[in-house]
Structures are given as structure tokens and as C-alpha cells.
Amino acid sequence: MKKSLALAFLFIYFIHPGFTQKKAGSDGPHLSISWELSENNYKGKGEMLSLLTISNKGTKKLPASGWSIYFNGAIPHNADADTSMTLVEMVNGDFVKLHPLTSFKGIPANSSLTVKLLSRELKNITDFPKGFYIVFDNDPSQGIAIHSENKSLIDDEKRDKLLAEKQYRQNVGVNDLPEGQLIPVFPSPASYTRTSGFFNLNAQVKITGGNDFVKEAAYLSEEIAKATGIKPLVTNNKTGNLIMLQKKELKGDEAYELSVSPGKIVISAAGNAGIFYGIQSLKVLLPANSWGKKQASVKIPGLEIKDNPRYAYRAFMMDLARNFQQKKEIIKVIDLISFYKINVLHLHLNDDEGWRIEIPGLPELTSVGGQRGHTLDEKNSLYPSYGSGPEVGKTSGSGFLSKADYIEILKYATVRHVKVIPEFESPGHARAAIKSMNARYSRLMASGKTEDAKKYLLVDLNDQSVYRSVQGWSDNVINPALPSVYQFLQKVTDEVIAMYKEAGAPLQTIHFGGDEVPAGVWEKSPAVTALLQQDPSINGVDDLWYYYFNKVNLMLKQRGLYLSAWEETGLKKATVDGRKKMVLDTRLSNENLHTEVWNNIGGNEDLAYKLANAGYKVVLTNVTNLYLDLSYNDSYAEPGQYWGGHVDVDKPFSFIPLDYYKNQKENERGQPLSMDYFKDKERLTEFGKSNIVGIQAPLWSEIITTPARFEYLMLPKLFGLAERSWAADPAWATEQDTVKAEEFYQQSWSDFVNILGKRELSRLNHYAGGFGYRIPTVGFITQDGRVKVNVQYPGLIIRYTEDGSEPTVTSKLYTADLPETANLSFRVFNSLGRGGNTVKYIRN
């Protein structure tokens, strides 16, 4: 029997919103599927053995032929003798087809069949294949969803025990600090001084912004009303209990000063952004439960703050392409990030699996590229991905932002000083756009409009190149030799510019991707062959990379914009030691190209520093510390990716932007790294430091199918990003003495987790409608026959049971060590009584 964190995950049911269990005819086969993880490292070959059981619960036999089952997963293949009954094969990407072979005899009513399958190791609950449906040959356009149950019988006792002990050791260094000793605002200000007295926020309070800050005064009044129920009058009368917004020459538009004293609060800044951030700090001074409990009067303690951000670029990236999030959730995110002084929302608007914004004049981008469901030809929708299933429009696989939606988002963000940066991934990761423009081509060709049909084509229809992307796609790369590609990019760019103009929102850059183009692309394209013959400046197929981004860069410059892209835009392919690899390319280094560098693993640890030293503007996006979609740890019960390691809130918090070798203490596989590992890596020069423009944390959405999963992976990790991008370089980051540096770090870490546990997480229970942040699991150790348990965030509470059942809000409160027994279960709860995953105590 499997014993692991949160035993409730032993049986997990994946039913996507909108799926209904249908039958193939009212009295036909009624199928269900069970996927069971059976054995790791099967036969010593490093593969996972899974058992796929197809159960026929209907009244008629599932026939021996004439059907196929489709699903999304880790591309399994048949094992052992089962290869003679069914065949599992890749369709494209993560889309898989299982169909019977001639030896398959069917499945009688009330019977089942188990097939053995092999795949890469499936490590946690989000790895399971999902989105199962069946298609019968006599009705090939109809996909019928199949209920699937997933379970694991792999014993994770040892892993879970090590995790709990590791968590305990990290927690034990945290001091439980009185709330009065905590830094009063978050993220940490440049300086603050506590003063005497209180400002009484009540119904008599007035706000004045003079002529300079009229909009900010109105905004502050609305925000105070949301938090307290008190809506102060906005007036030019400067008498009485007053909150004053005033202009003052400070260094930088985002700098501010905040003074709280009896009878008066003054927020001073040189510009609107500084006043806005002063307002956010004032909001943090309100009691954490304010947004959930209206109060007639609030006392704000005396305080003097002088503050300014470390980096001008403080970014959160939201992936709408793989799985879509609705406008409501985006608005909620803007409320959150602006509150914690994150000023860039990078929207990943397209990828292989979806195009998520309306572009006037190109309807197929959303009518085809914005939809996923069962299809044979992808003329009306894309293939299902990430378990989106057969029904178009029923899951997060489908959806897009209309032009009106996007303009509304821009307006909302602009008021809150959040710059929205649109990303259009290209030339790779562009399958949704490619298939959309192919559908447009087919529609117009059928109407005899040949020239118009070709106008926005993104691929050479005669290209015979063979390739496979990292994500498994064989047809996801735009062809840079086609003039129609640049017409498409210009069309998209001009329509986007028009939206920003209509919204009155700032636009300085558009992100055009530049990531993970596989080997083999363009090699057998007649259009590429022709271009290489016409233009001798292009040094072969590999040099098309520079050719493409140089043209995109020039196109944006003509429109007064600069290019943002992933790091590979600053690289080129070259032959090193007999094999091709990506090396530095300086040809675009003086073009104000902003490169977002995620790759700090596998020998590329110094890539960001190399690019910065060469003159590229760099946004640090290190996967090991800042990829929020990575799971919190390697527990089977934790959702998330793990190819780049695991990211809990400590990873972004401990990130040292200008010397991240110092904080990178393990590789992506969790193996320790010594400082000697980095001795030959390139260090930042002073010039390079000037090119580090900011920090970004992405939240990729492959496994995010609901707002709840999105918020769980985002929070509380986002707090680490907020602190590192705004606050000054901490003492522990620059201290050369390792013992002192560790001491300083533990002090800072204690402050941080106390602020979260005693204040900010409670605030997020209600702020902007409330957020479903992750509640941590306990850490535990056994010592002298006693079980010692602790929690990551002081202020949260631990409850336990002694019979193996899951603790509830009424279970016993943990207050002291317990005698070692076999059936202890522990669970952490927040102030609302919401609990995290249960940890079963594992007796030695």
C-alpha cells in the first residue's frame, strides 16, 4: 500500500470542467479508464511501467476494431506481449492515439482489458495522461469523453520522509518574531523609522491630491473603501484629519516618501508612479484582515518611509497560450502584482497549443488557433493538448481575449502602473498561428482568392524538412524565407499598436519569442533554397535565425519600439568540437534588444552574464529560482513541472541577481554544487551589471487548467520576486564571510516568512476577491522517541490526528512534541480554516 504525503492523492480523478460522460449509443459500450503507475526503472531501462485498464461498463461489447482512443500524455509505447493487441503511437506533440490490432478480440460488457505501457518516469500527480476520449470509425468527427481514474502503487515512503526532514531543518532556523518587530511594509523599503502616535483612519478623513494627483486621490479613496468600508472625501480642503498627496523632487519616478503622524499622512513623489507606490505601502499598513472585515476606525502607527525600487523592470509572466485564463483572472493578477510593486505583466499570447488574442482581419487566429478539440484536419480547431479533451470551448484549452477585453485589461493595468508586454512566440512555438493561417489559406483558395490566400502564410507548403521540437511537434516553426511571414508580423504589430493607442496605454516593446527552434528546420524548403541563392549575406540555413530577428528588429524600430525576446536571439549556431551548439552572437548587441534569459543549467549557468557583458539588455529569468510552474518539491502530491528543479518561495527570495552563482547551491536534479563548479564561469563586468535591467518570474501553464491551480503555483512564490526586484541588495548577498552571510540570511529569511505567515497570507484571504495560495506541509523529525513538527510560516497552525485520518479544522492543535506512534497525521491550516496537504508520519 502506498504511503505518501496527502494519501487522498492515492485515487485522483481528472474530469475537466465541461466534460460529461457519454455513451456510444444509449445501450452501447460505456467505457472508463484506469491508469496505474506500477514500477519505476522497469527492467533496469530507466522507464516507468504503467497499467492502462479499459473497462466496459455498458451492455454491449466494445468491438475488436473500428475505434481509436486519444489522449494527452508522456508518449508511451507498448511493453512486452501487449504490442500484439493494441498500438500506441504519437499523433503530434503530446497527442497520442491507441487503437486495436488484428489480434485484439474486443471487450465484452462488464469486462476489462489491461495494457502494459512504458514511458519516461511519471513523478507527480500532474504527469498522468489525461483527456481520454474515443472515436468510432463510423462517426469520425465525434469524440466521446471517457472518465479516467489515476493511481500510483509505487512506494514513496522514503522520499516523503526525506522531504519532511528537509523541511524541518529549513524551518528550525526560523525565529517566531512578534508582529511589532516585523518590517512594517512589503516589499522591504529602502529605509523606515517608527515614530510616536497613530493616525486615526475614520469617516472624517479627507484626501487631497491638489492639481497634480487628482486621479491618484480618487483611486486611494476607492481603495480605502474596499478595505475598510470608509470612503474618504477627495477635496482641496487641507484641514482636519488629512491624507495628502504632494509633488516632491525625488530620484526616479517610482521613488516615494510616506509620513504617518497623528492627524496627517503625507505621500510625496516626483511623479504619478511614486505616489501610486506610496499608496500601496499605506494599504499594507492597514490590518491584514481589513479586506474581509469592515471597520469603522483603523489606527495606523507613526512611521517615516523613504523608498525606491532596485530595478525598473519587475515582471511576472502569465502564459495564456498552453491553457487559457479568463479576463477576470488577469484583472485579479494586475491587482495583486501592482499591490506588491511588480510593474510588468508579460502576457504569453501564443504558442503551439493556442493563440489567445483577437487580431482584426485575421479571424482564424482565434476561431481555429484559439480552440482545441477533436479534429482530423485542424481546419476548425487545434488538436487537444494537455488533456483538453474532445469538446471545443469546454475547457481551458479553448478561449481568447477579444479586442475589447484586451483594451479593458490595458486600461486597468495603466491606472495601476503596470506595463503589459505582449508576446508573440516565433519563429518556433508558433504552431497555433501556422495552423490558423493554413485554415485561412484553404478558405480563400476555395473562393478562388489565390493572392489573398497567400498573403499571411507562415510556412512553405512545399517544405519537406523533418524535425521534432522539444515538446514533440513536427510542424511548429515559421519559415523566415517567406515575405508573407513579415506581412503577418506587421499586421499583428500594427493591430496591437492600435489597441494600446485606443487604451491610452504605454507600449515600448513587443516580445517576439525566439526560443527552442529544433534541428532540421528549413533544410528542405524550396523557399529557403531560393533565398540563400538570392542573398549571399546569409551564411547558410542556420544564419536564417539572425536574418529573421534582424528583420523583426528593424520592423519594430520603424514603429518606435524595441525588440524583446528570449536569450537565443543573442546566440547563433556554430560548430564547436565537432558538433553544433549555440554560441554568443554580438550582431544585435547594440540594438537595445532585451533578452530574457532562463537557461542557467546544463553548463549554461553564465549565459545571462555573457549576454550582459556583450551589451545585451538582460532580464534575469533563471529557471532554477524564478520558474513558478516548477513544483514546490518532489512530492508525488505536489503539482508542477520539475525539469528545471523545484521552486518554493525560498528560491526567488534567495536569488542574488548580480552573483547568482552564490545562491545556486544545487543543480536542476537537486544535486549539490560546490563553488568550484563556477570557477571557470564568466563573471559580470561593471559594464555587464549596467545591462541587468530587471527580474522576471514566469508561470507557464502546461499543467494549469483552473484558476485554483494557477494561484496555488503562483503564491506565495511571487512574494520572493517582489522582494528581490524591489528591495535593495541585502547584506547576506554581498557579505564575503560565508558564516556571517549565512547568519544574515537566516535573520532576513525569518523576517520574510514571519511577514508572510502573520500578515500577507492573511491579507490574501480577501484581497482582490481572495487568492488560493499554497498552504505548506509540515516538517518533522524523530528525536528520542518523540515526533517534533514545525511549519514554514509562523502564524499558521498545525493540527493532527492519531488514527491516520486526515486532520480537519476541529482536530487537535499541535503545541508540543508527541510520542512516536504509527498513525500520526499532520496538516497546516490558515486563519480561515483552509488546510494544506496532509503529511503522514512515517515511523522508523
Side-chain angles (χ1 to χ4, degrees):
M1 189 70 171
K2 175 185 169 63
K3 297 179 181 178
S4 70
L5 301 187
L7 199 62
F9 283 101
L10 182 57
F11 295 97
I12 307 159
Y13 296 85
F14 287 93
I15 307 176
H16 284 265
F19 279 13
T20 56
Q21 181 66 22
K22 299 181 179 179
K23 299 181 182 180
S26 59
D27 59 349
H30 186 190
L31 304 180
S32 67
I33 282 177
S34 170
W35 189 291
E36 178 180 289
L37 304 184
S38 178
E39 185 178 341
N40 271 325
N41 196 25
Y42 183 64
K43 293 186 176 180
K45 295 182 178 180
E47 292 184 297
M48 168 76 74
L49 174 67
S50 296
L51 305 180
L52 172 65
T53 300
I54 306 171
S55 298
N56 180 6
K57 300 179 180 180
T59 59
K60 288 189 177 181
K61 179 181 180 179
L62 177 69
S65 62
W67 55 268
S68 297
I69 289 175
Y70 295 89
F71 60 95
N72 300 109
I75 316 301
H77 59 94
N78 295 83
D80 303 333
D82 295 314
T83 56
S84 63
M85 291 190 300
T86 61
L87 179 65
V88 179
E89 56 187 352
M90 171 193 287
V91 178
N92 212 342
D94 72 337
F95 192 38
V96 180
K97 175 182 178 180
L98 180 149
H99 58 91
L101 298 176
T102 55
S103 60
F104 182 75
K105 304 303 181 182
I107 304 178
N110 297 313
S111 298
S112 62
L113 172 74
T114 297
V115 179
K116 293 181 179 179
L117 298 172
L118 295 174
S119 69
R120 66 169 175 82
E121 185 180 0
L122 307 180
K123 293 185 177 181
N124 67 29
I125 61 171
T126 49
D127 275 349
F128 280 106
K130 42 194 170 285
F132 291 87
Y133 66 93
I134 190 168
V135 177
F136 290 94
D137 292 358
N138 60 7
D139 190 7
S141 64
Q142 177 68 27
I144 303 168
I146 302 174
H147 169 75
S148 63
E149 172 187 319
N150 303 291
K151 56 186 176 181
S152 173
L153 296 181
I154 295 172
D155 189 352
D156 283 329
E157 280 192 358
K158 183 177 180 181
R159 178 169 68 168
D160 292 343
K161 184 174 186 292
L162 291 174
L163 269 175
E165 291 173 348
K166 179 181 179 181
Q167 187 66 62
Y168 183 90
R169 289 193 298 271
Q170 185 183 55
N171 297 344
V172 80
V174 173
N175 296 317
D176 191 342
L177 304 175
E179 287 191 56
Q181 291 183 16
L182 302 180
I183 299 170
V185 300
F186 182 87
S188 300
S191 69
Y192 71 94
T193 304
R194 300 182 192 275
T195 59
S196 60
F198 294 87
F199 178 88
N200 192 16
L201 179 59
N202 54 32
Q204 284 71 51
V205 167
K206 300 187 292 290
I207 300 174
T208 179
N211 295 326
D212 295 312
F213 303 118
V214 175
K215 292 181 179 179
E216 285 73 15
Y219 165 80
L220 175 56
S221 180
E222 293 286 348
E223 291 297 292
I224 290 174
K226 290 177 187 177
T228 65
I230 303 164
K231 187 173 184 181
L233 177 68
V234 177
T235 177
N236 286 326
N237 185 342
K238 297 183 179 181
T239 61
N241 218 24
L242 184 68
I243 301 176
M244 180 183 298
L245 312 180
Q246 68 178 20
K247 185 176 283 290
K248 182 177 181 180
E249 289 305 314
L250 298 175
K251 187 177 180 180
D253 186 59
E254 294 182 310
Y256 71 92
E257 293 179 356
L258 171 61
S259 173
V260 179
S261 60
K264 182 179 286 188
I265 293 176
V266 179
I267 301 174
S268 306
N272 304 82
I275 291 294
F276 179 82
Y277 292 127
I279 289 172
Q280 305 318 304
S281 290
L282 177 58
K283 286 162 58 180
V284 172
L285 293 174
L286 299 177
N289 66 352
S290 295
W291 285 262
K293 181 182 178 181
K294 305 304 180 187
Q295 302 170 68
S297 178
V298 174
K299 286 188 174 182
I300 303 175
L303 193 65
E304 297 285 337
I305 293 176
K306 294 183 178 180
D307 201 9
N308 58 276
R310 181 180 187 187
Y311 289 112
Y313 192 101
R314 309 177 298 279
F316 171 66
M317 194 216 78
M318 189 173 182
D319 176 11
L320 301 181
R322 271 57 176 274
N323 281 294
F324 184 64
Q325 293 289 334
Q326 300 291 335
K327 177 181 67 176
K328 178 182 178 182
E329 190 68 16
I330 300 171
I331 293 293
K332 197 175 172 186
V333 166
I334 293 170
D335 279 329
L336 175 73
I337 65 175
S338 62
F339 183 38
Y340 292 113
K341 303 184 177 78
I342 295 168
N343 66 343
V344 175
L345 177 60
H346 171 173
L347 291 180
H348 187 76
L349 292 169
N350 77 296
D351 214 293
D352 297 323
E353 302 85 4
W355 181 284
R356 305 302 185 187
I357 184 172
E358 176 189 6
I359 300 297
L362 299 177
E364 283 84 2
L365 284 173
T366 49
S367 66
V368 177
Q371 314 296 329
R372 294 206 300 258
H374 175 64
T375 176
L376 301 177
D377 55 19
E378 296 191 285
K379 288 184 178 179
N380 296 306
S381 70
L382 304 177
Y383 289 142
S385 290
Y386 306 120
S388 54
E391 298 182 74
V392 171
K394 295 296 182 69
T395 73
S396 57
S398 300
F400 64 92
L401 299 172
S402 68
K403 176 182 176 181
D405 288 337
Y406 197 70
I407 289 172
E408 181 182 341
I409 289 167
L410 292 177
K411 289 180 177 179
Y412 196 84
T414 301
V415 170
R416 288 153 184 80
H417 295 272
V418 171
K419 296 178 182 178
V420 179
I421 294 181
E423 180 188 353
F424 300 101
E425 183 71 89
S426 69
H429 285 277
R431 191 173 187 274
I434 290 167
K435 295 301 177 182
S436 298
M437 292 302 94
N438 285 356
R440 178 185 181 277
Y441 172 83
S442 297
R443 172 175 63 83
L444 292 172
M445 287 295 289
S447 301
K449 300 178 180 179
T450 303
E451 290 306 311
D452 196 18
K454 295 178 180 178
K455 186 175 182 180
Y456 297 123
L457 267 179
L458 300 178
V459 290
D460 178 357
L461 298 178
N462 297 310
D463 190 354
Q464 299 299 309
S465 302
V466 177
Y467 61 87
R468 187 70 67 179
S469 75
V470 173
Q471 288 76 20
W473 299 106
S474 62
D475 52 0
N476 73 333
V477 182
I478 288 171
N479 192 312
L482 301 177
S484 55
V485 164
Y486 304 99
Q487 289 180 301
F488 173 81
L489 297 178
Q490 289 167 14
K491 169 68 172 173
V492 170
T493 297
D494 290 340
E495 293 294 345
V496 167
I497 289 171
M499 292 183 210
Y500 279 78
K501 185 176 181 180
E502 184 174 340
L507 180 66
Q508 288 90 32
T509 185
I510 296 178
H511 195 299
F512 272 106
D515 192 37
E516 295 181 332
V517 169
V521 296
W522 311 320
E523 291 178 352
K524 296 181 181 180
S525 163
V528 166
T529 300
L531 177 62
L532 294 178
Q533 291 172 349
Q534 295 165 11
D535 190 343
S537 70
I538 306 172
N539 187 22
V541 171
D542 290 339
D543 206 30
L544 287 169
W545 185 253
Y546 169 75
Y547 174 84
Y548 174 79
F549 277 107
N550 187 47
K551 289 178 73 71
V552 173
N553 180 52
L554 292 172
M555 183 264 291
L556 291 177
K557 286 176 70 174
Q558 289 168 359
R559 289 158 173 78
L561 305 175
Y562 66 84
L563 172 63
S564 290
W566 298 105
E567 70 243 27
E568 290 182 27
T569 47
L571 306 175
K572 63 181 178 181
K573 283 187 179 178
T575 301
V576 180
D577 297 329
R579 62 186 183 91
K580 284 188 177 181
K581 63 180 295 186
M582 300 296 283
V583 299
L584 190 66
D585 184 353
T586 60
R587 285 178 288 183
L588 291 172
S589 62
N590 294 318
E591 293 292 320
N592 195 33
L593 168 58
H594 283 49
T595 58
E596 297 175 356
V597 186
W598 64 263
N599 192 351
N600 68 309
I601 58 177
N604 294 298
E605 290 82 4
D606 57 358
L607 180 55
Y609 293 168
K610 285 180 177 179
L611 288 163
N613 290 344
Y616 287 100
K617 302 300 181 185
V618 168
V619 178
L620 295 171
T621 315
N622 298 38
V623 60
T624 57
N625 290 75
L626 298 168
Y627 264 42
L628 306 188
D629 55 299
L630 298 183
S631 62
Y632 283 87
N633 55 49
D634 67 350
S635 167
Y636 167 80
E638 284 293 342
Q641 308 272 19
Y642 46 78
W643 62 270
H646 302 282
V647 171
D648 200 343
V649 68
D650 62 310
K651 290 289 185 71
F653 176 81
S654 65
F655 185 61
I656 304 173
L658 302 184
D659 188 11
Y660 57 70
Y661 305 148
K662 188 174 181 179
N663 66 249
Q664 195 168 341
K665 297 178 181 179
E666 61 183 27
N667 65 16
E668 64 274 19
R669 295 178 297 280
Q671 298 165 336
L673 293 176
S674 70
M675 285 308 296
D676 286 344
Y677 179 85
F678 301 102
K679 65 181 180 180
D680 296 325
K681 299 296 181 182
E682 188 165 331
R683 299 276 171 172
L684 265 181
T685 63
E686 289 304 311
F687 173 66
K689 290 178 183 179
S690 71
N691 286 319
I692 302 294
V693 297
I695 306 175
Q696 173 176 256
L699 184 48
W700 300 101
S701 67
E702 289 95 333
I703 55 93
I704 297 175
T705 55
T706 63
R709 174 68 59 77
F710 172 79
E711 293 177 6
Y712 182 96
L713 285 167
M714 176 174 61
L715 292 163
K717 299 177 190 179
L718 194 75
F719 288 108
L721 169 71
E723 179 72 1
R724 285 288 74 78
S725 60
W726 178 276
D729 211 9
W732 51 264
T734 55
E735 175 59 53
Q736 297 303 306
D737 185 308
T738 56
V739 174
K740 287 184 179 179
E742 180 62 23
E743 180 183 332
F744 292 159
Y745 177 82
Q746 285 300 327
Q747 291 172 356
S748 183
W749 174 246
S750 286
D751 288 340
F752 177 73
V753 293
N754 273 271
I755 287 169
L756 266 57
K758 295 182 177 178
R759 197 173 69 206
E760 297 312 312
L761 293 182
S762 293
R763 197 186 313 276
L764 292 188
N765 289 336
H766 299 287
Y767 188 79
F771 289 87
Y773 54 85
R774 177 185 183 262
I775 296 172
T777 52
V778 301
F780 68 71
I781 61 168
T782 305
Q783 194 172 78
D784 300 326
R786 309 285 293 182
V787 180
K788 303 168 74 73
V789 184
N790 60 20
V791 66
Q792 187 174 28
Y793 305 120
L796 301 185
I797 60 175
I798 302 170
R799 296 188 181 274
Y800 70 98
T801 59
E802 298 173 285
D803 60 2
S805 62
E806 180 170 88
T808 68
V809 72
T810 60
S811 298
K812 292 179 180 178
L813 185 67
Y814 175 83
T815 57
D817 303 351
L818 296 169
E820 184 180 7
T821 60
N823 294 311
L824 290 172
S825 295
F826 298 94
R827 193 177 179 201
V828 180
F829 291 84
N830 71 1
S831 59
L832 293 183
R834 183 168 67 86
N837 287 343
T838 295
V839 173
K840 301 280 189 181
Y841 169 69
I842 301 164
R843 193 170 188 175
N844 290 329

